[in-house]
Amino acid sequence: MRVAESINLALHNVLAEDPRAYIVGEDIGDPYGGAFKVTKGLSTRYPGRVLSSPLSESGIVGFASGLALAGDTAIVEIMFGDFLALAFDQIVNFASKSVSMYGRHQPMPLVVRCPVGGGRGYGPTHSQNLQKHFIGVPGLSLYEISPFHDPRTLLAEIIDRAEPAILFEDKVLYTRQMFEDGAAGEFFSYQVDPGGVARVFADAPEACDCVLIVPGGLAHRALAAARTLLLEDEIACLLLVPSRLYPLDVEAMSPLPAGARAICVAEDGTAGGTWGQQVAYDLQTRLGHRLSVPVTLVNAADRVIPAAPHLEERVMVSEGSIRAAVKRALRD
């Protein structure tokens, strides 16, 4: 099953199990079914609870926040993650604060889904990863889709927390297959820890030279890098992919293998105040004394994302840049 189909099934489940659940977004009704067809079929099956909205991200999120504040379950689809900037005030100054500003904890099951990332030639204003702009906002949780995490389980977990959350979905993943039954392609197996961290390994998790930590959108590129490193350089990597980015839970990534000589954190966004930077800092503080080199951080280039494919590749984090960072760390 492809990732987009798996998310669609998860949304079906939410609407089927919760009569007070709504999905709101631009062009999400049939026959269009959203820009990436993730909501296809939902409005036909659940009329009146899948609502196509005007073109106003601030209005959409404000409306959905009101639904959640009143006790309904509200899921928003933002057509492109770049447009989250237009709803920044509603997310940061209304939704996230509403869980704690009324003198008692206020349940607020609000999920804002947004496609992010490049690789599709959509240009500077439709290809960004804006996760770092929401890191550290009290009352707001951040998650990211991966091929290792079942969206049904993930969405149920987010809604059960009853706090505002943003669910980032890398657009390139939509057409990729989910990894199922613990198999991550040739050579690799995986397991998902109770803390929501997928551990991907070739032989055994403890038998690795380097620990590679990435969010879900980089999973395929990181896995490809790990495969090449194993076959061409005999470097074994343990790949860690958390489902929740914030609140940051470095403990969920532990224990790290005692034999690992290096840690590499990669994320497909520009450097500065990022999730990856915080992960790298926390791990360096805890484990720096036993690492041969400081924790390595890989980011996208500090430039806008162009539409031309050959230029876009130079800006985004690639399999090659991840592989080079691991080899450099172990060589040093």
Side-chain angles (χ1 to χ4, degrees):
M1 180 181 292
R2 291 187 298 179
V3 171
E5 295 167 340
S6 187
I7 300 171
N8 179 273
L9 179 59
L11 295 172
H12 267 289
N13 286 357
V14 171
L15 291 168
E17 296 174 4
D18 182 359
R20 296 191 65 177
Y22 293 85
I23 302 178
V24 188
E26 298 165 1
D27 294 329
I28 63 172
D30 292 330
Y32 195 54
F36 299 96
K37 310 304 180 186
V38 175
T39 58
K40 185 177 181 179
L42 296 178
S43 65
T44 299
R45 188 166 181 179
Y46 306 99
R49 292 199 287 137
V50 179
L51 310 175
S52 286
S53 67
L55 303 182
S56 172
E57 282 70 25
S58 179
I60 297 166
V61 175
F63 169 72
S65 298
L67 285 175
L69 195 61
D72 296 314
T73 298
I75 300 175
V76 172
E77 176 173 296
I78 301 294
M79 187 176 287
F80 286 89
D82 311 65
F83 306 158
L84 273 176
L86 298 169
F88 192 84
D89 182 62
Q90 290 290 348
I91 294 171
V92 174
N93 283 326
F94 176 46
S96 63
K97 288 181 171 63
S98 293
V99 291
S100 60
M101 68 183 294
Y102 300 116
R104 58 179 174 82
H105 180 76
Q106 173 64 43
M108 200 170 176
L110 168 69
V111 185
V112 180
R113 297 179 39 250
C114 53
V116 294
R120 299 287 293 266
Y122 292 150
T125 60
H126 293 72
S127 307
Q128 297 169 91
N129 283 282
L130 298 181
Q131 289 89 327
K132 71 177 183 180
H133 297 290
F134 297 92
I135 293 287
V137 176
L140 180 67
S141 297
L142 308 182
Y143 293 80
E144 188 155 338
I145 286 289
S146 94
F148 303 109
H149 298 89
D150 186 341
R152 291 172 295 183
T153 303
L154 182 58
L155 202 54
E157 173 193 331
I158 296 172
I159 293 171
D160 285 346
R161 287 175 65 91
E163 292 184 355
I166 302 177
L167 178 59
F168 296 99
E169 302 169 5
D170 194 289
K171 296 188 287 289
V172 172
L173 287 185
Y174 283 148
T175 58
R176 302 243 184 194
Q177 295 292 319
M178 292 288 298
F179 292 128
E180 297 173 329
D181 300 323
E186 188 182 14
F187 302 119
F188 292 92
S189 301
Y190 77 93
Q191 59 193 34
V192 180
D193 294 347
V197 177
R199 294 174 177 266
V200 189
F201 48 90
D203 295 315
E206 63 275 6
C208 73
D209 303 297
C210 179
V211 176
L212 182 55
I213 304 173
V214 303
L218 268 181
H220 281 88
R221 280 170 274 174
L223 186 61
R227 182 184 186 278
T228 303
L229 287 166
L230 181 65
L231 295 180
E232 296 185 3
D233 302 285
E234 297 184 351
I235 294 174
C237 291
L238 170 63
L239 173 61
L240 302 183
V241 184
S243 59
R244 190 176 77 180
L245 305 183
Y246 182 82
L248 189 65
D249 185 5
V250 175
E251 290 292 339
M253 302 179 194
S254 302
L256 297 179
R261 294 181 289 127
I263 298 174
C264 179
V265 183
E267 58 186 340
D268 205 5
T270 56
T274 68
W275 167 82
Q277 186 174 19
Q278 189 62 53
V279 171
Y281 171 80
D282 284 1
L283 291 176
Q284 181 66 39
T285 301
R286 293 166 181 248
L287 304 172
H289 63 282
R290 70 171 179 83
L291 297 174
S292 58
V293 293
V295 177
T296 301
L297 181 60
V298 180
N299 287 98
D302 188 19
R303 298 196 297 274
V304 298
I305 301 174
H310 69 289
L311 297 176
E312 189 179 38
E313 290 177 0
R314 298 180 189 177
V315 175
M316 296 172 58
V317 172
S318 65
E319 171 200 344
S321 60
I322 296 173
R323 191 170 69 246
V326 171
K327 291 174 68 174
R328 185 169 57 249
L330 291 172
R331 184 174 61 247
D332 294 343

